[in-house]
Amino acid sequence: MNKLIMPAVALRGLTVYPDMIIHFDLSRSKSIEAVEQAMMGDQRVFLVPQIDTEVESPGVDQLYHVGTVAIVKQVSKLPVNNIVRVLVEGEYSARLDGLTEEETYLCARITELDMEEQDPGQVEIEAMSRNLEGLLEQYGRFFPKVVKTISVHMGERTLHDVGYMKRFIHMIGANLPVTFDVKQRILEETTLQGRYDVLCEILANEVEIARVKQELQQKIKERVDKNQKEYLLREQMRFIQEELGDDDPYSDVDHFTDECRKLKASKEVKEKILKEIARFKSVVGSSSESAVERGYIETLLELPWDKVSKDNTDIDHAEQILDARHYGLHQVKERILEFLSVRALTRQGDSPILCLVGPPGTGKTSIAKSVAEALNKKYVRICLGGVRDEAEIRGHRKTYIGAMPGRIAASLRQAGVKNPLILLDEIDKVGTDQRGDTASALLEVLDSEQNAHFRDHYVEIPLDLSEVLFIATANSVSSIPRPLLDRMEILEVSSYTANEKFHIATEHLVQKQYEKNGLTKEQLVISDSAIRKIIEGYTREAGVRELERKIGQICRKAAREILQQKKTVIRVNAGNLEKFLGKVKYSTDMVNKSDDIGVVRGLAWTSVGGDTLQVEVNMMPGKGEIELTGQLGDVMKESARTGISYIRSVSERWKIPADTFKKNDFHIHIPEGAVPKDGPSAGITMATAILSAITHTPVRCDVAMTGEITLRGRVLPIGGLKEKILAAKTAGVKRVLVPKENEKDVREIEKEITNGLEILYVETMEEVTKACFRPVEKKATDRKQTQ
């Protein structure tokens, strides 16, 4: 092997083979100087490609190891930009050993590659030649022009020798339409067999790519019409780039990568996102899978992994906002301010999970907005009413078509921070079916010990919900599963009193409806008496929604009068209210004017507040049958039978003849028969009415009562006491009998409701009868004398 030193030219994007005549342009001063040095010598120059075409002054590490020694045939200087065009003819391959120290040009130390030392025999040459011609023939079916050019240069083959084989390989390699680094692979081989193997591999690969390309063209042609040529070209381009492994031409990958770098997230989250971006890059040719992957990456990038908003810890400011937005609701406001106080002192602390329970229209949903404003938190509302699919909470696995994250993850994405206020509205109305238990899926969300690592099926990466302030709303806790209820702090939002409704209307609702209907307080004046009459005669609800609608109705009628009748001011008072709202819809069921036998007023809780029920009992000659009417539920019927059993057990004490229950029928009726009624709280009411009818003892008309009765005459506690006492006061009741065990609940009721009422706590039916019966001794004696 000959070792030589000669001028060298670093080629950019070009590989020159032995026996190859080619011209190229030079613009770098070192390359031009190297050619000039060669022309002053034996006209030989070493041509070697540089690995990175962007490098201006490559060193030995930036050059390939094998190049070609060529003879410079012609040098001409072009008239623009100092460019020199050189015509060369390759002689033989050489290995680059190093570069000598020359300031103005590259000078290479090379070793001539002697490929004849391991040349194959005649039989191998013949086999190699035939195989290569066969591959070239297959290649020519797809690229006939390339094969024709090779044939013209090679001429007809007359002898199967090594020299012909070398020229054949170099000619094919030089004319293949592939990149220079692929051509360089052939040149890097130092034996004829090695170059042959690499060339065959490249040819076979190009034939396979061309075949698949042709199949793709045929398939696409069958699928598209003449007006979709643009789509056809895109599909071809994508497929070719996928087969060749070229970089993704779309800017989405770069955009996603930049967004990932800017993302505030942990190292693990970023690694997961970058992995998905790499996967998206590899599936860009598949439109369906690419769309799924794109949506997944966008979701991950939009989630607020470590992005938080700064909470407002000014307690006075928060209290002002809560008081300005809502009248009453003291318990809820106190709990929020307590949470703020703890957060201000500790700079941390678990966010409470509150559940506001109360009738519709009492401000449960709106107070959550006020809390978010007071704390300077982002507000997101999730309505759970009628949700039956577990995937609505946990999300769908992204392998499914149309998969999307669950509502919790979507809420964080919407809020843009990891510590928003999320309102879980109507949590008592979630359902269960074959698709899973939604309430069970909420267990992890609402458990402060577990939700720091909540897993959404779609996102797959744990989400931190520990800093989210959850507020749930419900109308009743009876339909909430016990494990879910145990994870929430229950805050009762009770019915509004008439006075509270009046303040809410005058301070909030009237002005709100003025703005909504384009009126001012100078154009429409609604007096206080009109507001109170609307509350008493046109609405019957625990909240204020219907009250707001009635005020809105007045505003709409007033707006019409202002436009049509050109009125400047309209005044609404109790006297002309019927002109705007029609006749009074409701009349309060007031207490009876006189005491009566077998008639007792009970108290009931409904979804729209409290109400009074008048229980009526008639005793008639018969066979001891009991008739229950008024659309009573099973529990209420059982309470009536329990009351009768108790009265029979104490009949001697009340001097009731033993055959009374055999010779008489009892009819128990509760008016408003179209309204279903149920529950145990009317037990003492029905028992008192039955006892009154049997003993002919009048019951005080100004007494109302509530409580469950047992067979032994004990009075058990009940619920909904505030609403019931409010209903009693509205009906004009003076004395209210409640179970002794409910005394603690009465203390929590506002004085505004209890003022003017005599509340007696009872433990037994004896105490009930003493409080509501007129003196019965004389009555019992008179009845005995009559008999």
Side-chain angles (χ1 to χ4, degrees), residues 143-405:
F143 304 98
K145 291 183 179 180
V146 175
V147 177
K148 185 177 181 180
T149 302
I150 295 172
S151 300
V152 169
H153 284 85
M154 290 300 298
E156 294 186 6
R157 179 169 61 89
T158 57
L159 182 64
H160 300 177
D161 59 359
V162 174
Y164 176 84
M165 195 64 194
K166 290 180 181 178
R167 290 193 304 275
F168 195 22
I169 291 174
H170 294 157
M171 186 58 64
I172 294 174
N175 286 278
L176 280 180
V178 294
T179 57
F180 81 96
D181 54 339
V182 177
K183 295 182 178 182
Q184 184 66 26
R185 286 178 54 201
I186 301 174
L187 195 62
E188 292 281 330
E189 296 294 330
T190 59
T191 64
L192 182 62
Q193 181 69 44
R195 293 187 178 180
Y196 165 79
D197 292 341
V198 173
L199 179 59
C200 288
E201 178 188 343
I202 294 172
L203 271 177
N205 189 49
E206 290 295 317
V207 169
E208 182 64 20
I209 291 175
R211 183 187 62 79
V212 175
K213 174 185 174 183
Q214 191 178 59
E215 290 179 359
L216 177 65
Q217 288 175 330
Q218 185 63 30
K219 291 179 181 177
I220 296 175
K221 188 176 181 180
E222 295 173 357
R223 200 167 61 231
V224 300
D225 56 21
K226 295 179 181 180
N227 296 326
Q228 293 177 310
K229 290 182 180 180
E230 184 179 353
Y231 173 79
L232 172 65
L233 293 175
R234 284 202 186 98
E235 288 295 313
Q236 288 178 324
M237 183 174 64
R238 288 180 180 178
F239 186 86
I240 293 169
Q241 287 163 344
E242 182 181 354
E243 290 296 318
L244 296 180
D246 285 352
D247 291 337
D248 179 24
Y250 306 103
S251 61
D252 289 344
V253 172
D254 296 332
H255 172 70
F256 290 154
T257 305
D258 292 340
E259 290 296 318
C260 183
R261 292 195 186 100
K262 299 176 185 176
L263 190 65
K264 290 184 178 180
S266 63
K267 181 180 178 182
E268 292 77 9
V269 172
K270 289 190 175 182
E271 287 177 353
K272 170 69 173 176
I273 296 175
L274 290 174
K275 183 179 178 182
E276 293 297 329
I277 293 174
R279 188 167 184 271
F280 170 70
K281 183 177 178 181
S282 65
V283 301
V284 71
S286 172
S287 58
S288 60
E289 191 172 358
S290 175
V292 171
E293 196 65 34
R294 182 195 303 274
Y296 181 56
I297 294 172
E298 289 175 349
T299 299
L300 295 183
L301 290 174
E302 291 175 7
L303 284 172
W305 298 101
D306 290 336
K307 184 179 179 182
V308 296
S309 61
K310 187 177 179 181
D311 289 351
N312 181 11
T313 56
D314 187 347
I315 298 178
D316 294 334
H317 171 71
E319 187 173 11
Q320 289 174 4
I321 290 179
L322 294 175
D323 289 339
R325 299 286 188 275
H326 292 270
Y327 184 86
L329 302 176
H330 302 296
Q331 186 182 9
V332 179
K333 293 177 182 177
E334 285 182 8
R335 183 63 185 89
I336 297 300
L337 295 175
E338 289 169 4
F339 160 68
L340 262 183
S341 303
V342 173
R343 177 63 65 91
L345 290 175
T346 62
R347 300 294 178 186
Q348 53 182 9
D350 294 335
S351 296
I353 299 173
L354 308 177
C355 182
L356 308 179
V357 180
T362 51
K364 299 184 297 298
T365 302
S366 60
I367 197 173
K369 291 183 180 179
S370 300
V371 172
E373 183 180 351
L375 302 181
N376 194 29
K377 283 182 175 288
K378 296 288 185 179
Y379 170 79
V380 184
R381 175 177 172 267
I382 300 176
C383 184
L384 298 175
V387 174
R388 296 179 175 272
D389 191 354
E390 178 195 1
E392 291 281 346
I393 305 299
R394 289 188 174 274
H396 307 80
R397 300 194 183 276
K398 70 175 188 293
T399 51
Y400 297 128
I401 296 175
M404 61 182 65

Side-chain angles (χ1 to χ4, degrees), residues 21 29 41 50 157 220 318 375 395 405 493 516 580 592 610 620 682 733:
I21 299 175
S29 58
Q50 62 185 67
R157 179 169 61 89
I220 296 175
L375 302 181
V493 182
K516 186 178 287 188
F580 296 90
N592 297 336
M620 305 157 288
V733 172

Side-chain angles (χ1 to χ4, degrees), residues 453-469:
H453 302 284
F454 171 71
R455 278 192 177 273
D456 185 278
H457 289 160
Y458 181 83
V459 177
E460 294 181 349
I461 307 174
L463 296 170
D464 184 6
L465 304 180
S466 60
E467 296 186 41
V468 177
L469 174 56

Side-chain angles (χ1 to χ4, degrees), residues 550-581:
K550 294 299 180 183
I551 295 174
Q553 184 177 341
I554 293 174
C555 292
R556 291 192 299 273
K557 290 184 180 297
R560 182 180 177 183
E561 287 189 14
I562 290 173
L563 290 177
Q564 288 187 335
Q565 302 177 19
K566 307 301 180 182
K567 292 184 177 180
T568 57
V569 60
I570 296 176
R571 302 183 184 277
V572 180
N573 52 46
N576 65 352
L577 187 60
E578 290 190 8
K579 173 185 174 184
F580 296 90
L581 298 181

